[in-house]
Amino acid sequence: MANSTTVLPAAPPPVAAGNGAPSTWWRALPILLLGAFLPILDAFIVNVALADIGKDLHASEAQLELTVSGYGVAYACTLVAGGRLGDRFGRRRLFLTGLVGFTVTSAACGLAPNVTSLIVFRILQGLTAALMSPQVLAAIQAGFDGADRQRAVGIFGLVAGSAGAIGQIAGGLLLQADLFGTGWRPLFLVNVPIGITAFLLALRLVPETKAPVAARIDIRGALALAATIALLLIPLTLGRAEDWPVWTWVALALVLPAAAAFALAQGRMERAGGTPLLPPSLLRLPAARLALGAMLIFAIAIGGFMFSLAMVLQVGHGFTPIRSGLAMTATAIGFFAVAVYAQPLVARFGAAVLVVGALLFGGGLAAFAAVAANAEGSLTLPETLAPLFVVGLGWGLVLVPLLGLALSALPVDRAGLAGGVLTTAMQIGLATGAAAVGSTLFAVIGDHPDDGDWRTGTLTVVAVLCGLSVVTAVICARLRRVIAAR
């Protein structure tokens, strides 16, 4: 039978990284980084538009939750598999395929005639994002070397780490603009010109790379990992909207057994000489295990922070989407102010920077809670700026160097796996934080909250997030000792 594989236009010839990364890879890097930026942006940009989507499409609370969670669950469930597919069939090929799919499904979301089709298109958008996103770190690992790789990873961390905050800001601006009277739809349609431009440039600029040995795809492992993640995220996201029916508790009770069964099966496959989706030998590396653990816990804190802040400001204190976006701008400025210097700081002070960053993140949140608790009536925008700026400083000091440390602990010859594991840990954390912390907030404030209820809810959420910050600091302190002992 004839080979029907689609032939893409020729890429620039791959150039082995050596003393200084070739200019080919530096030209390709901005295009690749869009593949990391857009999926995270789209995970959060929709938050500020949920009320408008609900009114326009007559959507229930559960349907709005599915608009958010459908994307996040599909994205998180297939990231590792997407990375392995890139290792086997070529990262450029998978990046381009995912980019086309993401652009098409973004257009479909923006043109969705009803909430059911929007949910379906969001799920498909998450699947295409999972084909594209892990190829970015994989290409960086394969194409850069030495100090150039550290710089490229630092830039990746800057872009990926800021995408969530920028999503909230961009969402508020687009809603305020109400382009051509289209309301929330430009939040998705904006991806179309960006995606088309990125595709045309990627055809010319992005080189192809593959793993040295093409391993078989562990399909059963991919399905088992997807099922485990879905058992966690779906009930956490939908439980509150559905008043926690029995199935949500059954699903949550099955998470640990499913994870244990997945881990045992992966171990058996590796011992038998196979190529499991997530080799247990990777997690036996102390630095890798601690870095991934810190990434997961801190991402939970970030996801919980962004979702709960939007709710507290917009619902609890009457902020418009644009005012909420302006408040988040203070966080973004703090993030960028320190993230560009994160790698030099780590080079000088080591992983202690991560500990300081985690504590700053928690300290900024505590300051925000103090301001909110002592406010007479509703918060004003100026009152939020200083504490949220400190939150951004801590965010940048943790996330950017942590990505570099995590990648340095994972094998370069399995770059797709490394990218998939890291982005999966980040996405699971972001989605879990938004769902779990959001549910905590709504459980505390009740159905008809007054100012006192919102004050109590804010203090409760901040206490949870500060606890996660302390846990992150403890893990990073252990990571610091492991790295120093090398």
Side-chain angles (χ1 to χ4, degrees):
M1 185 169 63
N3 190 338
S4 59
T5 303
T6 302
V7 179
L8 294 171
V15 186
N19 295 326
S23 59
T24 298
W25 282 103
W26 285 114
R27 288 196 300 269
L29 185 61
I31 309 305
L32 288 169
L33 289 175
L34 278 174
F37 180 80
L38 290 176
I40 300 175
L41 179 88
D42 267 53
F44 289 98
I45 196 172
V46 73
N47 283 344
V48 298
L50 289 178
D52 294 73
I53 293 172
K55 292 177 183 177
D56 187 31
L57 300 183
H58 309 290
S60 67
E61 185 178 352
Q63 289 171 323
L64 291 176
E65 293 277 7
L66 280 172
T67 302
V68 178
S69 66
Y71 176 90
V73 172
Y75 183 35
C77 285
T78 48
L79 272 167
V80 175
R84 296 304 290 266
L85 287 169
D87 283 347
R88 181 174 176 84
F89 296 110
R91 292 153 192 148
R92 174 181 181 266
R93 180 181 296 275
L94 265 292
F95 179 84
L96 290 170
T97 302
L99 182 58
V100 169
F102 188 83
T103 304
V104 171
T105 53
S106 294
C109 288
L111 299 173
N114 53 59
V115 70
T116 301
S117 58
L118 177 60
I119 292 169
V120 171
F121 293 141
R122 282 285 283 172
I123 292 171
L124 294 174
Q125 189 188 31
L127 293 174
T128 59
L131 293 179
M132 173 175 61
S133 180
Q135 316 314 326
V136 180
L137 272 177
I140 289 173
Q141 285 284 87
F144 291 89
D145 198 10
D148 285 304
R149 180 184 296 150
Q150 292 180 359
R151 286 178 56 206
V153 168
I155 297 171
F156 171 89
L158 185 67
V159 169
S162 63
I166 291 175
Q168 304 269 56
I169 298 166
L173 290 172
L174 287 171
L175 279 176
Q176 181 75 16
D178 190 20
L179 299 174
F180 308 108
T182 52
W184 55 270
R185 296 181 184 276
L187 275 67
F188 297 109
L189 295 175
V190 71
N191 292 333
V192 176
I194 296 173
I196 292 172
T197 303
F199 179 80
L200 295 175
L201 291 173
L203 286 175
R204 296 185 57 191
L205 299 177
V206 176
E208 182 64 282
T209 61
K210 293 182 180 180
V213 178
R216 297 184 63 181
I217 305 299
D218 178 14
I219 296 176
R220 286 184 297 180
L223 293 174
L225 179 60
T228 303
I229 295 171
L231 284 170
L232 173 67
L233 293 183
I234 291 176
L236 281 179
T237 304
L238 295 181
R240 180 184 59 82
E242 297 289 330
D243 199 23
W244 296 102
V246 172
W247 71 263
T248 60
W249 297 108
V250 172
L252 289 172
L254 290 174
V255 170
L256 287 179
F262 170 75
L264 290 172
Q266 296 289 284
R268 284 195 299 269
M269 180 178 288
E270 188 172 39
R271 288 191 296 273
T275 54
L277 185 76
L278 184 57
S281 58
L282 286 179
L283 300 182
R284 285 196 288 269
L285 299 170
R289 185 171 61 250
L290 289 170
L292 289 171
M295 175 69 72
L296 178 63
I297 298 298
F298 195 64
I300 292 174
I302 293 171
F305 160 69
M306 286 195 289
F307 181 84
S308 59
L309 181 70
M311 292 297 102
V312 167
L313 292 181
Q314 292 186 43
V315 183
H317 293 275
F319 278 39
T320 62
I322 187 63
R323 285 179 67 208
S324 179
L326 289 173
M328 182 59 74
T329 301
T331 302
I333 291 172
F335 178 92
F336 283 112
V338 74
V340 294
Y341 300 107
Q343 294 293 359
L345 287 171
V346 170
R348 182 173 180 180
F349 299 107
V353 171
L354 303 177
V355 180
V356 173
L359 295 177
L360 269 178
F361 185 85
L365 288 170
F368 175 81
V371 170
N374 292 306
E376 295 182 3
S378 296
L379 277 171
T380 64
L381 178 61
E383 290 176 313
T384 68
L385 298 181
L388 292 181
F389 176 78
V390 175
V391 169
L393 291 177
W395 187 344
L397 284 176
V398 175
L399 192 61
V400 176
L402 185 56
L403 282 165
L405 290 171
L407 279 177
S408 68
L410 293 171
V412 176
D413 62 349
R414 286 184 280 187
L417 176 60
V421 169
L422 276 175
T423 47
T424 297
M426 184 186 297
Q427 183 59 36
I428 291 174
L430 292 172
T432 302
V437 177
S439 295
T440 300
L441 174 64
F442 288 115
V444 171
I445 65 175
D447 293 331
H448 304 288
D450 57 22
D451 290 346
D453 295 325
W454 276 107
R455 186 176 296 110
T456 302
T458 302
L459 292 173
T460 302
V461 164
V462 166
V464 172
L465 296 177
C466 286
L468 292 170
S469 301
V470 171
V471 172
T472 302
V474 170
I475 297 174
C476 290
R478 293 185 61 188
L479 178 63
R480 177 190 180 193
R481 291 194 292 271
V482 168
I483 293 174
R486 284 180 176 178

Short mmCIF file of all heavy atoms in Angstrom, two decimals, residues 23 25 33 50 158 167-168 245 252 269 279 294 304 311 320 326 379 401 433:
data_model
loop_
_atom_site.label_atom_id
_atom_site.label_comp_id
_atom_site.label_asym_id
_atom_site.label_seq_id
_atom_site.Cartn_x
_atom_site.Cartn_y
_atom_site.Cartn_z
N SER A 23 22.76 30.17 14.65
CA SER A 23 21.78 31.25 14.47
C SER A 23 20.44 30.71 14.01
O SER A 23 19.40 31.33 14.25
CB SER A 23 22.32 32.26 13.46
OG SER A 23 22.58 31.64 12.21
N TRP A 25 18.75 28.30 15.21
CA TRP A 25 17.88 28.02 16.36
C TRP A 25 17.42 29.30 17.04
O TRP A 25 16.29 29.37 17.53
CB TRP A 25 18.59 27.11 17.37
CG TRP A 25 18.57 25.68 16.90
CD1 TRP A 25 19.59 24.97 16.34
CD2 TRP A 25 17.44 24.81 16.92
NE1 TRP A 25 19.18 23.71 16.01
CE2 TRP A 25 17.87 23.58 16.36
CE3 TRP A 25 16.13 24.94 17.35
CZ2 TRP A 25 17.01 22.49 16.23
CZ3 TRP A 25 15.27 23.87 17.22
CH2 TRP A 25 15.72 22.65 16.66
N LEU A 33 8.33 29.58 20.77
CA LEU A 33 7.80 30.04 22.06
C LEU A 33 6.30 30.35 21.99
O LEU A 33 5.62 30.27 23.02
CB LEU A 33 8.57 31.27 22.53
CG LEU A 33 10.01 31.00 22.98
CD1 LEU A 33 10.73 32.30 23.30
CD2 LEU A 33 10.05 30.07 24.19
N LEU A 50 -16.39 34.43 31.31
CA LEU A 50 -17.40 33.42 31.59
C LEU A 50 -18.80 34.03 31.75
O LEU A 50 -19.79 33.47 31.27
CB LEU A 50 -17.02 32.63 32.84
CG LEU A 50 -15.82 31.69 32.68
CD1 LEU A 50 -15.50 31.01 34.01
CD2 LEU A 50 -16.09 30.65 31.61
N LEU A 158 10.26 32.57 31.10
CA LEU A 158 9.70 33.92 31.12
C LEU A 158 8.39 33.97 30.34
O LEU A 158 7.39 34.54 30.80
CB LEU A 158 10.72 34.89 30.51
CG LEU A 158 10.39 36.38 30.54
CD1 LEU A 158 10.36 36.90 31.96
CD2 LEU A 158 11.42 37.15 29.70
N GLY A 167 -2.91 36.49 29.94
CA GLY A 167 -4.23 36.05 29.51
C GLY A 167 -5.34 36.81 30.20
O GLY A 167 -6.31 37.23 29.57
N GLN A 168 -5.19 37.01 31.53
CA GLN A 168 -6.21 37.75 32.26
C GLN A 168 -6.26 39.21 31.79
O GLN A 168 -7.34 39.80 31.64
CB GLN A 168 -5.87 37.74 33.77
CG GLN A 168 -5.71 36.35 34.36
CD GLN A 168 -7.00 35.78 34.90
OE1 GLN A 168 -7.98 35.68 34.19
NE2 GLN A 168 -7.00 35.40 36.16
N PRO A 245 -22.26 15.33 43.50
CA PRO A 245 -22.96 14.04 43.44
C PRO A 245 -22.01 12.88 43.76
O PRO A 245 -20.79 13.05 43.84
CB PRO A 245 -23.45 13.97 41.99
CG PRO A 245 -22.51 14.85 41.23
CD PRO A 245 -22.12 15.95 42.17
N LEU A 252 -12.84 10.62 42.66
CA LEU A 252 -11.70 11.06 43.48
C LEU A 252 -11.11 9.90 44.27
O LEU A 252 -9.89 9.81 44.45
CB LEU A 252 -12.14 12.18 44.42
CG LEU A 252 -12.44 13.53 43.76
CD1 LEU A 252 -13.04 14.49 44.77
CD2 LEU A 252 -11.17 14.12 43.15
N MET A 269 7.07 -2.46 32.63
CA MET A 269 7.48 -2.30 31.24
C MET A 269 8.95 -1.91 31.14
O MET A 269 9.68 -2.43 30.28
CB MET A 269 6.60 -1.25 30.56
CG MET A 269 6.96 -1.01 29.09
SD MET A 269 5.87 0.20 28.27
CE MET A 269 4.38 -0.77 28.15
N PRO A 279 9.02 6.72 32.24
CA PRO A 279 9.92 5.76 32.89
C PRO A 279 10.15 6.09 34.36
O PRO A 279 10.54 7.21 34.70
CB PRO A 279 11.23 5.92 32.09
CG PRO A 279 10.82 6.51 30.78
CD PRO A 279 9.64 7.38 31.09
N ALA A 294 8.23 20.42 43.14
CA ALA A 294 8.10 21.86 43.38
C ALA A 294 7.29 22.52 42.27
O ALA A 294 6.46 23.41 42.54
CB ALA A 294 9.49 22.50 43.47
N GLY A 304 -4.58 28.47 41.57
CA GLY A 304 -5.54 28.91 42.59
C GLY A 304 -5.55 30.41 42.75
O GLY A 304 -6.61 31.03 42.93
N MET A 311 -12.16 36.06 40.85
CA MET A 311 -13.47 35.99 41.51
C MET A 311 -13.59 37.04 42.62
O MET A 311 -14.60 37.72 42.75
CB MET A 311 -13.68 34.59 42.10
CG MET A 311 -13.84 33.48 41.08
SD MET A 311 -15.29 33.68 40.01
CE MET A 311 -14.52 34.32 38.51
N THR A 320 -14.59 45.67 37.22
CA THR A 320 -14.86 45.28 35.84
C THR A 320 -13.71 44.40 35.34
O THR A 320 -12.63 44.38 35.94
CB THR A 320 -14.97 46.51 34.95
OG1 THR A 320 -13.71 47.20 34.95
CG2 THR A 320 -16.08 47.44 35.42
N LEU A 326 -6.04 45.26 35.04
CA LEU A 326 -5.06 46.25 35.47
C LEU A 326 -4.42 45.84 36.80
O LEU A 326 -3.22 46.05 37.02
CB LEU A 326 -5.71 47.62 35.59
CG LEU A 326 -6.09 48.30 34.27
CD1 LEU A 326 -6.89 49.57 34.53
CD2 LEU A 326 -4.83 48.62 33.46
N LEU A 379 -12.60 47.09 47.77
CA LEU A 379 -11.22 47.45 47.48
C LEU A 379 -11.16 48.45 46.33
O LEU A 379 -12.02 48.45 45.45
CB LEU A 379 -10.44 46.20 47.08
CG LEU A 379 -9.88 45.29 48.16
CD1 LEU A 379 -9.35 44.00 47.54
CD2 LEU A 379 -8.77 45.99 48.92
N PRO A 401 13.71 29.96 37.11
CA PRO A 401 14.86 29.10 37.38
C PRO A 401 14.48 27.64 37.63
O PRO A 401 15.27 26.74 37.35
CB PRO A 401 15.50 29.73 38.62
CG PRO A 401 14.44 30.55 39.24
CD PRO A 401 13.57 31.02 38.13
N GLY A 433 -5.26 23.68 40.90
CA GLY A 433 -5.35 24.86 41.76
C GLY A 433 -6.60 25.66 41.51
O GLY A 433 -7.31 26.05 42.46
#
